[in-house]
Amino acid sequence: MSADIKEIYDTLYYGGEIEFNYSNNSYMMEASYSAGLSLLTIWKIDSSENGENSMELYNKNFQQKEQGIDDMLTAKVFDNHSFLDIVNEIEIDFIA
């Protein structure tokens, strides 16, 4: 793993969020953990004069963090590409 992918993976593993831009669109990935389950979500964020709207692209629960993160990073939700396919084309805005 490259350093950037490792940081992304670690952020998701410990329950954080990542905001990034790809192909003139804004996205957010988030991982949260409760009651022994991992909830992993990807949103596409659209901002306009009327406010901010989000569209859920991916949302799954997993019992094993590693399985969930791997599944999310390889899900083909970006115009039939996965996050791992586009990672060199994104611009990260925020990691927490």
Side-chain angles (χ1 to χ4, degrees):
M1 272 188 208
S2 72
D4 292 336
I5 292 297
K6 182 167 179 6
E7 181 179 10
I8 289 165
Y9 189 94
D10 287 349
T11 299
L12 296 173
Y13 187 87
Y14 293 106
E17 72 180 52
I18 301 162
E19 295 178 13
F20 63 95
N21 291 303
Y22 166 68
S23 189
N24 296 319
N25 293 301
S26 297
Y27 298 91
M28 184 172 80
M29 299 170 69
E30 182 178 40
S32 59
Y33 304 102
S34 176
L37 290 177
S38 307
L39 174 62
L40 299 159
T41 311
I42 300 174
W43 288 278
K44 180 178 179 184
I45 310 296
D46 290 319
S47 297
S48 67
E49 294 176 8
N50 299 327
E52 192 173 274
N53 295 311
S54 61
M55 178 174 62
E56 200 171 78
L57 301 178
Y58 178 96
N59 183 331
K60 288 188 181 178
N61 282 312
F62 293 90
Q63 289 191 3
Q64 295 182 345
K65 288 182 185 183
E66 297 85 353
Q67 175 194 5
I69 295 169
D70 290 342
D71 189 80
M72 183 167 74
L73 295 179
T74 58
K76 304 279 185 181
V77 296
F78 304 100
D79 296 324
N80 205 31
H81 293 88
S82 71
F83 184 83
L84 293 179
D85 294 336
I86 66 166
V87 70
N88 294 321
E89 302 172 44
I90 69 167
E91 180 182 323
I92 295 177
D93 291 333
F94 177 78
I95 294 181

